[in-house]
Amino acid sequence: MDALQIEGGPPLVGEVKISGAKNAALPILAAALLVDGPVTIGNVPHLQDVTTSNELLGRMGVTVSIDEKMRVTVDASTIAHFVAPYELVKTMRASILVLGPLLARFGQADVSLPGGCAIGARPVDLHVAGLSQLGADIRIENGFIRARAKRLRGCRLVLDTVTVTGTENLMMAATLAEGTTIIENAAREPEVVDLANFLNVMGARIRGAGSATLVIEGVDRLHGGSYDVLPDRIEAGTYLLAGAITRGRVKVRDVEPAHLDAVLAKISEAGGEVTTGDRWIQVDMHGQRPRSVDIRTAPYPAFPTDMQAQFAALNSVAEGVATITETIFENRFMHMVEMRRLGADIRVEGNTAIIRGVPRLTAAPVMATDLRASASLVLAALVAEGRTQIERIYHIDRGYERIEEKLNALGADIRRVPA
Ligand code: EPZ
């Protein structure tokens, strides 16, 4: 297992090209199962989870090819199995996203129940309940979701909780169902909209993406085509915070500023000068210490849970005291314990962390626990005095393409070492 060694140091200055969004690429790769013909997907990030997705499709007999530009071409016409095995699902929960497409297109799916993960139990009851309402016969046995359906029938679904992949699974299943499906209380994330756009390019009839009510008119088949994945707003937000925490100036390119409204508002509140343009965002701290900002996570368009840990790092060295309240996942504060090892003054009470900014953090060996927690440790290490070593950085490689390369280009001193 590798580790990252980071020397706390100077303000970061420069530009970063943002990669395609992991959380759009994963559902779109799964949606390729719905398409009758080859599909080429561009702007796919080079991440472990994408590799796992391609391996999962390949195991089913689906033809997957990748060109030198990381464009992935998927042709499901060669599919031979409809199984997502535990050994792959346990490494990537998002494998659950093949359930809806397999059921809608091929009438069968045996998908291993994704276990919990570090940040929470992560149930999939809403995925299963919705597919049952669409007419699937679903049994949970031996750790598998065994789903069968002759043809799904459209209906009105009301989701108890806003669920991103739940919305995506049900939207995908509804594209080939008989009749119209309405999904109420749908997730509004840009990645859900990107998936809907992809499906519509392939001939689906989805309206309302980005709102809480989706209307999907079932069609008989989806045709092939090509599509580029949208930019990763969470990667962009993470690099902007790298600039903010080091009191520097960072510009991220190839992004959609509108997808980061809630995050940019908080960076401004922390004292960052935020400017935006066509597909770029810049944050300039003018060498100033950030101010503490209160954070409360909630579904899009409110403040994203995937940026919560990064703001915990910023607040740790900011002027003042702030609270961070996590309303989406029940165990997404593990980075707080690790940050205390760097000298942060953090108290946790239930789902709220109270963070009193300290003038400086000091280096110490720390351990990554989940994807975004790892990113927050990298941010803290960029300003901690001395050399911080972060263990178990395979978590980082799941969501950040070439993180040390991109940070070194901004002036950081970060290297990957065998641990
Ligand atoms: C997606 O996870 C993202 N993953 C997560 O990103 C992100 O943090 C999360 O949405 C919230 O924005 C992908 O898109 C691949 P949810 P997902 O279903 O869909 C409860 C990252 O860092 N729930 O929106 O699994 C659930 O327990 C990852 O890239 C049910 O109760 O999250 C949670 O409390 C981490 N039953 C809440 O809903 C269900 O059937 C929201 O979860 C489904 C969800």
Side-chain angles (χ1 to χ4, degrees):
M1 283 199 276
D2 290 348
L4 284 180
Q5 273 180 359
I6 303 172
E7 294 288 344
L12 298 192
V13 178
E15 287 194 10
V16 185
K17 181 185 179 330
I18 295 304
S19 306
K22 166 177 85 79
N23 289 351
L26 298 181
I28 288 172
L29 284 166
L33 289 166
L34 291 162
V35 177
D36 182 1
V39 168
T40 298
I41 303 158
N43 200 32
V44 175
H46 188 200
L47 297 170
Q48 180 55 49
D49 277 4
V50 169
T51 305
T52 305
S53 276
N54 291 340
E55 187 182 340
L56 175 60
L57 294 173
R59 289 276 193 91
M60 294 180 194
V62 172
T63 307
V64 181
S65 57
I66 304 173
D67 71 13
E68 69 293 343
K69 293 199 178 79
M70 264 301 283
R71 278 191 303 244
V72 182
T73 296
V74 179
D75 183 351
S77 61
T78 56
I79 194 167
H81 316 284
F82 309 99
V83 179
Y86 179 59
E87 62 180 293
L88 284 180
V89 175
K90 72 182 178 187
T91 66
M92 186 186 69
R93 307 187 63 269
S95 308
I96 189 72
L97 286 164
V98 302
L99 178 61
L102 286 174
L103 198 53
R105 174 89 186 278
F106 305 104
Q108 57 180 308
D110 290 330
V111 177
S112 170
L113 262 177
C117 77
I119 64 178
R122 313 292 295 275
V124 290
D125 55 312
L126 299 177
H127 300 236
V128 170
L131 291 170
S132 302
Q133 283 177 266
L134 288 168
D137 169 44
I138 299 190
R139 272 169 294 134
I140 310 281
E141 53 191 30
N142 308 108
F144 270 84
I145 302 167
R146 300 199 187 284
R148 300 291 183 271
K150 286 207 179 4
R151 180 156 190 210
L152 297 175
R153 285 183 312 283
C155 68
R156 183 166 175 273
L157 303 170
V158 182
L159 300 181
D160 287 350
T161 311
V162 175
T163 160
V164 173
T165 50
T167 300
E168 291 167 344
N169 236 335
L170 296 169
M171 178 168 73
M172 288 189 283
T175 57
L176 297 181
E178 191 170 344
T180 298
T181 300
I182 295 173
I183 302 178
E184 303 281 11
N185 199 25
R188 302 171 55 190
E189 272 69 3
E191 294 75 28
V192 176
V193 177
D194 211 37
L195 173 64
N197 292 342
F198 165 81
L199 289 165
N200 283 341
V201 164
M202 306 303 154
R205 292 205 193 115
I206 301 169
R207 286 178 284 120
S211 80
T213 302
L214 299 177
V215 179
I216 304 113
E217 286 174 59
V219 295
D220 291 335
R221 65 184 283 275
L222 298 183
H223 54 72
S226 60
Y227 189 82
D228 285 352
V229 166
L230 94 169
D232 193 319
R233 62 194 166 100
I234 304 301
E235 185 196 18
T238 305
Y239 285 109
L240 290 173
L241 278 206
I245 199 168
T246 58
R247 309 187 190 186
R249 184 184 69 251
V250 167
K251 177 187 271 192
V252 291
R253 286 188 296 104
D254 295 348
V255 296
E256 178 48 68
H259 292 164
L260 279 154
D261 282 346
V263 173
L264 298 182
K266 285 296 173 182
I267 294 177
S268 298
E269 194 183 320
E273 180 195 14
V274 176
T275 47
T276 60
D278 178 31
R279 294 177 61 77
W280 63 263
I281 306 168
Q282 177 174 281
V283 168
D284 191 344
M285 290 301 284
H286 297 290
Q288 301 303 307
R289 183 182 182 189
R291 292 192 294 270
S292 300
V293 289
D294 291 335
I295 298 290
R296 181 180 181 82
T297 67
Y300 192 89
F303 189 92
T305 174
D306 292 347
M307 283 298 301
Q308 175 257 107
Q310 296 89 318
F311 270 83
L314 188 71
N315 277 336
S316 293
V317 293
E319 177 77 43
V321 183
T323 57
I324 292 189
T325 302
E326 172 58 57
T327 70
I328 305 290
F329 292 114
E330 66 268 30
N331 189 31
R332 202 169 196 175
F333 277 168
M334 280 158 302
H335 44 284
M336 307 292 185
V337 177
E338 292 302 305
M339 243 172 271
R340 280 201 206 108
R341 293 177 46 76
L342 300 175
D345 178 352
I346 301 176
R347 200 157 36 88
V348 172
E349 288 180 8
N351 67 340
T352 295
I354 300 100
I355 304 178
R356 179 183 302 278
V358 295
R360 67 188 54 74
L361 296 173
T362 49
V366 289
M367 194 180 301
T369 51
D370 62 270
L371 169 53
R372 306 304 171 183
S374 332
S376 71
L377 294 175
V378 171
L379 295 181
L382 288 172
V383 289
E385 274 177 7
R387 173 180 295 178
T388 297
Q389 175 138 329
I390 304 177
E391 311 280 343
R392 300 191 183 176
I393 57 158
Y394 56 86
H395 291 293
I396 289 188
D397 295 335
R398 296 190 49 184
Y400 292 90
E401 193 176 9
R402 304 192 319 277
I403 190 164
E404 65 267 30
E405 197 178 300
K406 293 189 175 184
L407 285 173
N408 281 329
L410 294 173
D413 178 353
I414 174 172
R415 71 184 63 77
R416 184 181 292 258
V417 296

